[in-house]
Amino acid sequence: MSGTMFGGSAFALDIGVRNDTGGAVTAGDILMVDARTSADDGFLAVKPETGGTEIGPFTMQGVVLAPDGLSIGNGDDCIIRVLGVTRAKVKTGATVTAGQLGRAEDGTGLLLASTAVANVGSYAEINYVSKFIILETVTGATATPDAKVLVRGI
């Protein structure tokens, strides 16, 4: 049961996908649903493609949910959170700041340094590229840390 009465949150949406990244993924990796594929009901998941001509900003993105230490191989099924609070891996050396927007780095599945809403270049960038609201400040780590985020990947 996922009700606030029992300490849970009804504000979460997790979906099943098949890892199609070509490698293993672990908890906190950011993936996108590859909307270009018709196989497997369109639920193959790849590393986000967020360049200017890519589909990443327009398709669902989510964060891999898995127990610590579990590696999910290419071709295996996994669950990603596309709406709700979770922890996402932050790019090594990046700083993310609570209350700002976040987005996945093109091709890596890591959260990039955050952007204040006032500094985002366009309305389209706010609505399509920024799929995360940072809930916890993480400063320039030397190893890949994770940060608490609100995923708004749909």
Side-chain angles (χ1 to χ4, degrees):
M1 175 142 199
S2 180
T4 54
M5 184 165 79
F6 299 103
S9 170
F11 185 62
L13 177 61
D14 305 331
I15 63 171
V17 296
R18 180 160 295 144
N19 175 10
D20 195 40
T21 62
V25 296
T26 59
D29 282 330
I30 300 170
L31 299 178
M32 72 170 215
V33 173
D34 192 350
R36 298 166 296 201
T37 183
S38 59
D40 298 315
D41 297 326
F43 286 101
L44 294 177
V46 297
K47 299 285 184 174
E49 300 168 3
T50 57
T53 60
E54 303 289 353
I55 65 164
F58 304 98
T59 189
M60 287 185 284
Q61 291 183 20
V63 177
V64 173
L65 301 179
D68 288 340
L70 179 67
S71 180
I72 301 166
N74 190 59
D76 290 341
D77 293 338
C78 64
I79 296 174
I80 61 172
R81 175 149 297 163
V82 295
L83 183 66
V85 175
T86 190
R87 300 194 72 80
K89 290 181 184 174
V90 179
K91 182 178 179 176
T92 301
T95 296
V96 295
T97 305
Q100 295 190 349
L101 299 175
R103 62 184 177 87
E105 182 178 39
D106 188 29
T108 70
L110 298 173
L111 196 64
L112 285 177
S114 54
T115 305
V117 177
N119 296 332
V120 174
S122 70
Y123 179 74
E125 188 175 347
I126 291 172
N127 282 301
Y128 297 113
V129 177
S130 299
K131 300 283 189 178
F132 305 91
I133 297 172
I134 311 300
L135 301 177
E136 173 183 47
T137 299
V138 174
T139 306
T142 55
T144 307
D146 60 357
K148 188 175 183 180
V149 297
L150 171 64
V151 182
R152 53 187 281 301
I154 52 176

